[in-house]
Amino acid sequence: MSIDKSSNSPLGDGGKLKLAIQKSGRLHDDSIRLLKECGIDISNGVNKLKADASNFPLEVFFLRDDDIPQYVEDGVADIGFVGENVVFEKNKKVEIVEKLGFGKCRLSIAIRKGETYTDASFLEGKKIATSYPVILEKYLKDNKVNAEIHEISGSVEIAPGIGLADAICDLVSSGSTLFMNGLKETEIILKSQAVLIKDKNLDPEKQKILDKIIFRIESVKKAKNNKYILLNAPNNNLKEIISLLPGMKSPTVLPLAEEGWSSVHSVLSEEQFWDIIEQLKAAGAQGILVVPIEKMII
Ligand code: PRT
Ligand code: ZN
């Protein structure tokens, strides 16, 4: 596939920022969803190579994920959404700007279920099948292990079962593929998720458009990590209840129609959530409502 590089000129593409996302596969839908949550509308015709955003200076290229780092290094695309695993494996001159919070997985070593694993030295002299030879080679070198890397492009999990390898190094999310193939995970080499990468030589005008996208992505991510909470608090315990709630500045407190009670509104992060709810109940809070937040701008 070829994409006209001449459109890279500041005039040729009307100053639009060019984003590369996966054409189809695990990251495609979440990439489109994130753009939508950022208020960017993409009309994606089936089998189209590129599409324009209707309400933002952005042009989207649909590519194989493996090719995205190269296109961004070459400046054919200015930015890309791609798995960190692919960024590290391809080792191109691109900058990781932001983690996107989807496509989470890990690149792990797995061996046959019945074998006893001690540490990385288990792999000494063994044959390891992988689609990630660059990352695996570095891992083996760091752990001073000599092993044979057998590069295959797909269905890595079946390699030990058919006698092609003693171990594998592959992506895992739920672990069910490993389980079904009689394998067990022994080491996590890399924890990965989709990231936003950019061309290291982005011109200042395009950087301005990118800054707007980053601002929107961060607002969406913050909103997802937080919940809006409303509760009724007895005034005699109001101080204690407020002290439990962090809020963006401080909680909003409004009097209830019923004497001696107040309504308290605040924002809680997902991690603190259950702990704080317990404490709020213990402090006499009632009628606790928890509401998702769509955007959060601080
Ligand atoms: O066609 P193209 O080259 O663009 O796509 P692809 O087939 O190379 O990639 P794709 O769509 O399979 O994955 C794209 C990206 O999704 C990866 O580079 C990762 O960043 C991310 N990702 C997240 C995953 C997984 N989770 C995942 N589970 N990529 C692959 N898998 C595989 C895993 O290797 C296993 O074989 O899915 C299988 C099921 O996993 P379990 O553990 O849930 O059983
Ligand atoms: Zn791929």
Side-chain angles (χ1 to χ4, degrees):
M1 177 183 45
S2 75
I3 289 173
D4 182 10
K5 242 205 117 170
S6 63
S7 68
N8 205 22
S9 85
L11 297 174
D13 53 19
K16 284 184 182 167
L17 191 72
K18 289 172 291 179
L19 163 68
I21 66 168
Q22 194 186 25
K23 183 171 169 51
S24 62
R26 282 167 208 275
L27 303 182
H28 175 84
D29 290 353
D30 284 331
S31 301
I32 297 285
R33 187 176 310 125
L34 178 60
L35 289 173
K36 210 171 172 172
E37 286 168 344
C38 289
I40 300 172
D41 290 332
I42 305 293
S43 54
N44 177 19
V46 182
N47 284 331
K48 265 172 80 176
L49 210 62
K50 54 180 191 168
D52 281 313
S54 57
N55 57 355
F56 197 83
L58 187 77
E59 191 176 14
V60 181
F61 293 156
F62 302 101
L63 300 169
R64 284 202 58 195
D65 66 345
D66 314 69
D67 297 333
I68 291 175
Q70 181 75 62
Y71 277 108
V72 172
E73 180 186 284
D74 293 346
V76 174
D78 301 307
I79 60 171
F81 292 171
V82 68
E84 249 174 326
N85 51 305
V86 173
V87 179
F88 291 135
E89 181 63 26
K90 300 296 171 188
N91 206 10
K92 301 290 172 198
K93 291 188 204 74
V94 295
E95 190 180 320
I96 295 181
V97 181
E98 182 89 36
K99 291 186 194 281
L100 299 177
F102 60 83
K104 288 188 179 164
C105 58
R106 48 201 192 269
L107 184 66
S108 293
I109 301 281
I111 64 170
R112 291 186 190 93
K113 214 180 292 174
E115 286 181 298
T116 311
Y117 182 83
T118 43
D119 53 30
S121 68
F122 172 91
L123 300 168
E124 185 70 32
K126 299 250 179 7
K127 204 170 175 182
I128 312 169
T130 190
S131 310
Y132 292 85
V134 172
I135 299 175
L136 177 58
E137 195 179 337
K138 184 175 180 305
Y139 169 79
L140 293 173
K141 207 172 153 203
D142 290 349
N143 285 280
K144 301 184 175 57
V145 171
N146 282 306
E148 187 187 330
I149 298 176
H150 189 81
E151 186 178 349
I152 45 179
S153 58
S155 304
V156 175
E157 297 94 344
I158 63 164
I162 58 172
L164 197 66
D166 308 300
I168 65 164
C169 167
D170 197 16
L171 296 177
V172 183
S173 47
S174 69
S176 65
T177 307
L178 291 183
F179 182 79
M180 281 186 310
N181 285 281
L183 301 172
K184 64 177 177 188
E185 192 176 0
T186 54
E187 295 279 354
I188 297 174
I189 297 189
L190 173 77
K191 282 195 175 148
S192 177
Q193 62 175 285
V195 288
L196 166 59
I197 55 170
K198 75 162 193 171
D199 176 0
K200 285 196 165 167
N201 304 310
L202 202 60
D203 75 55
E205 283 309 307
K206 288 192 167 176
Q207 182 65 47
K208 275 190 204 158
I209 305 175
L210 175 56
D211 289 342
K212 283 189 186 172
I213 294 183
I214 294 171
F215 176 75
R216 293 186 186 193
I217 290 176
E218 286 179 350
S219 306
V220 169
K221 273 171 51 184
K222 268 183 220 130
K224 276 193 183 147
N225 289 334
N226 287 279
K227 301 271 181 258
Y228 193 74
I229 173 167
L230 304 95
L231 58 87
N232 295 332
N235 286 348
N236 53 6
N237 261 6
L238 201 53
K239 232 176 157 182
E240 185 187 348
I241 288 174
I242 289 174
S243 72
L244 294 168
L245 291 166
M248 282 165 78
K249 265 202 167 63
S250 69
T252 308
V253 180
L254 302 163
L256 281 189
E258 188 180 329
E259 188 107 348
W261 286 81
S262 297
S263 169
V264 181
H265 302 196
S266 190
V267 172
L268 273 188
S269 81
E270 192 82 64
E271 300 103 64
Q272 307 167 296
F273 185 74
W274 288 112
D275 263 358
I276 294 189
I277 292 285
E278 302 270 314
Q279 295 175 47
L280 288 170
K281 276 175 66 188
Q286 292 182 7
I288 304 174
L289 291 182
V290 179
V291 187
I293 299 171
E294 198 179 292
K295 305 279 186 302
M296 193 162 151
I297 292 137
I298 299 178

